[in-house]
Amino acid sequence: MTFFKKIKEKITGQTDSVTGKFKDGLSKTRQNFSGKLNQMMARYRKVDEEFFEELEEVLIGADVGFDTVMELVDQLREEVKLRNISDPKEVQEVIVEKLVAIYEGEEEAKPALDIKDGRLNIILFVGVNGVGKTTTIGKMAHMLQSQGKKVMLAAGDTFRAGAIEQLEVWGERANVEVIKQTAGSDPAAVMYDALQAAKARGVDVLLCDTAGRLQNKVNLMNELEKVKRVIGREVPDAPHEVLLVLDATTGQNAFVQAKQFKEATDVSGIVLTKLDGTAKGGIVIAIRNGLQIPVKYIGLGEKIDDLQPFDAEDYVYGLFADLIDEK
């Protein structure tokens, strides 16, 4: 079975809604990435060094990341030799195979989120202002609530104007309780109140918002550490997830933010928002390969149910849907 047929067989067994969200949500990246790739393939009669050099440019243009591109193209060179490939069109399938391979490994066997029955599960959301952190929390609350979990929100971003009110709006939309204090309050104190309330009400999952910008990066990271200490003191082994929210439309800036947060705190996964609004969706691959942090969820639209668990094969289907559907 060819790799394209394997992906096609997998998505055939899924609901149309999941397949459609990835296909529609990645349409801008697909037009930019696979469109340019198809044009490039049509110009070459053979696979030579000039072919690989232009391929590098196309991949870098999709924000796959310089180091990842160099590594990927080197692997393609070896694979082309091993398989004795001379037709450029045959390289497309190998490219897709290698992109999926970047995501294979231990993370594939793990659940999207470390949520277990019989305990208070605490998920801490971090990230700079403007990336869609509060919106992501609201969408995840809706998702977990629809799965039968009792969910509560903690309004720990007490510094950004309107952040508490924004989270309250999402709490109403998702029909979950929001624990808050007044603007400018100590975020760690908000977390303490939320933890006590969550324990008293038998909550399954507590989703915690945090500040995205203080006076400088040091202050921000110190504040996050303080919040984590309070959580860990009240619930051993918590937080169970630290999710870094990044805006996909910022491309390589998202990669830089991920690197900075990884250096300062224990990020367990990434939520990449606004993937439907960018032509540079290759940033998913750059983050995974460059930082070894799994992208656990992606935002593919503005609706409350447009937050989707990340799946490598669904992702590459979204990138190459037109090509895969032809097979």
Side-chain angles (χ1 to χ4, degrees):
M1 183 186 293
T2 67
F3 197 71
F4 280 164
K5 284 182 180 177
K6 178 188 169 189
I7 292 178
K8 195 169 182 180
E9 189 176 271
K10 176 182 181 288
I11 63 170
T12 301
Q14 293 181 338
T15 61
D16 289 340
S17 62
V18 172
T19 305
K21 282 182 187 297
F22 275 82
K23 186 175 181 179
D24 296 343
L26 289 164
S27 60
K28 288 186 179 180
T29 297
R30 184 167 64 254
Q31 290 165 12
N32 176 52
F33 185 22
S34 61
K36 287 180 180 177
L37 198 60
N38 286 336
Q39 292 170 14
M40 181 197 132
M41 297 293 174
R43 287 198 300 273
Y44 285 89
R45 294 278 182 266
K46 61 180 180 177
V47 181
D48 54 17
E49 192 53 37
E50 189 177 338
F51 170 89
F52 284 118
E53 286 177 4
E54 186 167 348
L55 178 60
E56 287 173 0
E57 291 178 16
V58 171
L59 291 167
I60 289 171
D63 259 19
V64 174
F66 182 81
D67 292 339
T68 302
V69 169
M70 295 299 107
E71 183 182 326
L72 181 60
V73 172
D74 282 345
Q75 290 177 10
L76 288 171
R77 284 191 179 96
E78 290 300 314
E79 205 67 32
V80 165
K81 285 180 185 176
L82 284 171
R83 301 189 192 185
N84 198 25
I85 295 172
S86 56
D87 184 351
K89 289 183 179 178
E90 290 182 39
V91 180
Q92 285 180 313
E93 192 157 353
V94 184
I95 292 170
V96 176
E97 191 175 335
K98 293 297 179 186
L99 288 174
V100 172
I102 287 174
Y103 247 89
E104 287 180 346
E106 292 181 12
E107 274 72 20
E108 286 297 285
K110 292 180 181 177
L113 291 175
D114 181 15
I115 293 178
K116 295 176 182 173
D117 293 335
R119 76 177 185 192
L120 171 57
N121 298 275
I122 299 172
I123 301 176
L124 191 65
F125 289 80
V126 301
V128 300
N129 288 345
V131 295
K133 184 155 43 75
T134 306
T135 300
T136 296
I137 293 170
K139 289 180 178 180
M140 191 166 287
H142 169 76
M143 179 191 73
L144 293 170
Q145 187 90 325
S146 66
Q147 293 171 1
K149 305 291 185 187
K150 187 170 183 180
V151 183
M152 180 180 282
L153 309 182
D157 186 357
T158 60
F159 298 104
R160 178 172 65 88
I164 298 170
E165 290 77 8
Q166 186 186 2
L167 194 66
E168 284 185 296
V169 169
W170 274 105
E172 289 174 9
R173 291 182 69 184
N175 194 29
V176 299
E177 186 179 0
V178 179
I179 303 299
K180 63 174 185 176
Q181 290 188 12
T182 57
S185 299
D186 183 352
V190 177
M191 293 305 162
Y192 180 82
D193 285 352
L195 288 162
Q196 302 311 310
K199 289 176 184 178
R201 293 166 179 62
V203 166
D204 297 310
V205 186
L206 177 63
L207 305 179
C208 306
D209 197 4
T210 64
R213 184 175 295 129
L214 296 177
Q215 290 86 342
N216 56 48
K217 192 178 79 170
V218 174
N219 281 0
L220 172 58
M221 298 310 171
N222 286 343
E223 192 64 53
L224 288 177
E225 281 304 314
K226 183 180 175 184
V227 165
K228 284 175 69 178
R229 281 198 306 274
V230 169
I231 291 172
R233 190 170 63 236
E234 295 302 313
V235 179
D237 301 324
H240 303 104
E241 293 273 5
V242 178
L243 298 181
L244 171 60
V245 182
L246 298 171
D247 180 347
T249 64
T250 63
Q252 286 300 308
N253 279 343
F255 182 86
V256 172
Q257 286 173 27
K259 192 174 180 182
Q260 289 175 339
F261 272 90
K262 185 186 179 186
E263 289 170 356
T265 191
D266 299 322
V267 176
S268 61
I270 285 170
V271 180
L272 203 56
T273 67
K274 309 176 191 177
L275 205 58
D276 58 307
T278 181
K280 296 190 173 186
I283 193 63
V284 172
I285 299 297
I287 289 169
R288 176 66 184 89
N289 197 50
L291 298 175
Q292 301 300 304
I293 304 174
V295 175
K296 295 201 172 190
Y297 282 85
I298 55 176
L300 293 172
E302 296 179 1
K303 296 177 183 175
I304 197 167
D305 61 349
D306 282 335
L307 186 69
Q308 291 292 315
F310 180 80
D311 179 278
E313 290 180 350
D314 287 336
Y315 168 72
V316 297
Y317 173 72
L319 291 182
F320 298 98
D322 304 330
L323 188 61
I324 293 170
D325 287 343
E326 287 175 5
K327 300 295 179 181

